[in-house]
Amino acid sequence: AGGGPVRLHVYRHNDMEHLESLLSATPPGVRRLVVSDSLFSMDGDFADLRGLVALKRRHPFLLALDEAHASLVCGPTGGGAAEAAGVADQVDLHIGTLSKAFGCQGGFLACSAALKQLMLNRGRPFVYSTALPVPVVEAAAAALRVSYRESWRRAHVWSLAARLGRGLGVPALSPVVPLVVGGQEAALGLSGRLLGEARMHVPAIRPPTVPPGTCRLRVSLSAAHSTADVDELISVVRQSGVRLMRLPHLLDPRAGLPGGGPDGEGSLVARGGLRAAAAGRGGEGDVRCRL
């Protein structure tokens, strides 16, 4: 209200040149907001966070980053992909969920005091919502404490991702590892085989969620999984004879975190980090059903 019309532009995936052309074309004095996932949920690649920050210096704008799939998984303290890339202080709005690595429900927005007041008073979805139940808030706080105290969970998850990538010869860049098979029948067949033979629920993702010809199995690992779980997954996929495809943009170095590791340091042969849950380390019992 009173702010004038808002125009929406969508820039091509991780294409900083396209984004810069859109920013350059905006009239002087126009306020600009750039919104991006930090970790893309279907391809498992990362936004070019350092590229976004470099653009922000040349063409000032507010930067909103959705860290839903990177929170507690990336960064030295689990602060997300922006922390891992060393640009967290350049992000104006950190958006996250409590329903993934936190193992709870709800979400959060971390920002400046001024932006917080704006959202509290002008954000309609917040104004007309209710507070989270206290037990949920405490559970999320406990998950955060576990993340600070038990960093081995992140290291374990990333080691599983690297193992999966090496074992199947696919890019494993993040908390999501896509096993791209192409057609719908192949995806459904392999998903059904994993569920029937190994009790592994690895959902088949099809259009319109992903582009035609890129149907896939979306693998999501947690700290509760074991190396044996990953080895069994690799074995069943190999025995199926289904040919896995490599998406070209996942081979671009900018698709991974700088340095390739969960903290943005070091390197992994098949870089990756899969969703960390505040769960046990051993992966016993029914944990295989949570793939």
Side-chain angles (χ1 to χ4, degrees):
V6 175
R7 297 188 62 184
L8 173 66
H9 301 273
V10 180
Y11 65 97
R12 291 186 291 269
H13 181 71
N14 252 354
D15 188 335
M16 296 299 103
E17 291 184 2
H18 185 212
L19 176 56
E20 184 162 28
S21 70
L22 294 174
L23 291 168
S24 299
T26 57
V30 171
R31 288 177 292 185
R32 297 171 293 195
L33 170 68
V34 174
V35 182
S36 177
D37 285 356
S38 69
L39 196 171
F40 298 101
S41 64
M42 286 298 147
D43 288 348
D45 55 337
F46 287 91
D48 183 358
L49 299 175
R50 292 181 177 176
L52 285 170
V53 168
L55 276 183
K56 186 182 178 187
R57 294 192 182 102
R58 295 197 297 271
H59 307 274
F61 55 79
L62 287 174
L63 177 58
L65 205 60
D66 186 343
E67 295 265 28
H69 293 86
S71 297
L72 302 193
V73 179
C74 302
T77 67
E83 181 187 58
V87 298
D89 61 336
Q90 298 298 312
V91 178
D92 300 290
L93 300 109
H94 298 260
I95 304 163
T97 180
L98 303 179
S99 65
K100 292 183 170 60
F102 279 88
C104 302
Q105 70 181 64
F108 63 88
L109 170 64
C111 58
S112 68
L115 284 173
K116 174 185 174 182
Q117 288 303 312
L118 176 66
M119 297 299 173
L120 287 175
N121 292 284
R122 300 293 291 273
R124 291 178 62 86
F126 180 84
V127 171
Y128 293 102
S129 65
T130 56
L132 287 172
V134 172
V136 172
V137 176
E138 178 52 35
L144 192 59
R145 292 193 293 270
V146 168
S147 176
Y148 282 135
R149 188 172 60 241
E150 302 177 16
S151 60
W152 64 261
R153 297 178 185 274
R154 277 187 296 280
H156 176 62
V157 164
W158 281 73
S159 71
L160 293 180
R163 190 180 188 92
L164 179 61
R166 287 193 301 267
L168 293 178
V170 298
L173 304 177
S174 77
V176 176
V177 179
L179 305 182
V180 183
V181 299
Q184 297 192 42
E185 290 186 5
L188 290 168
L190 184 54
S191 178
R193 181 168 181 167
L194 283 164
L195 185 59
E197 294 183 12
R199 296 179 61 219
M200 293 182 176
H201 177 53
V202 189
I205 310 298
R206 297 161 287 163
T209 306
V210 295
T214 67
C215 295
R216 68 200 61 187
L217 272 63
R218 182 179 183 271
V219 179
S220 184
L221 298 178
S222 81
H225 291 117
S226 67
T227 55
D229 295 325
V230 171
D231 289 346
E232 187 172 7
L233 171 62
I234 291 170
S235 177
V236 175
V237 173
R238 283 178 170 176
Q239 291 173 12
S240 73
V242 175
R243 179 178 174 273
L244 300 181
M245 302 166 53
R246 287 187 169 199
L247 299 177
H249 67 276
L250 298 186
L251 305 178
D252 188 325
R254 291 171 296 182
L257 282 176
D263 301 337
E265 301 172 356
S267 62
L268 294 174
V269 174
R271 294 174 296 190
L274 299 193
R275 179 185 304 171
R281 184 174 188 175
E284 302 297 330
D286 293 334
V287 72
R288 289 181 294 171
C289 297
R290 296 207 296 257
L291 263 177

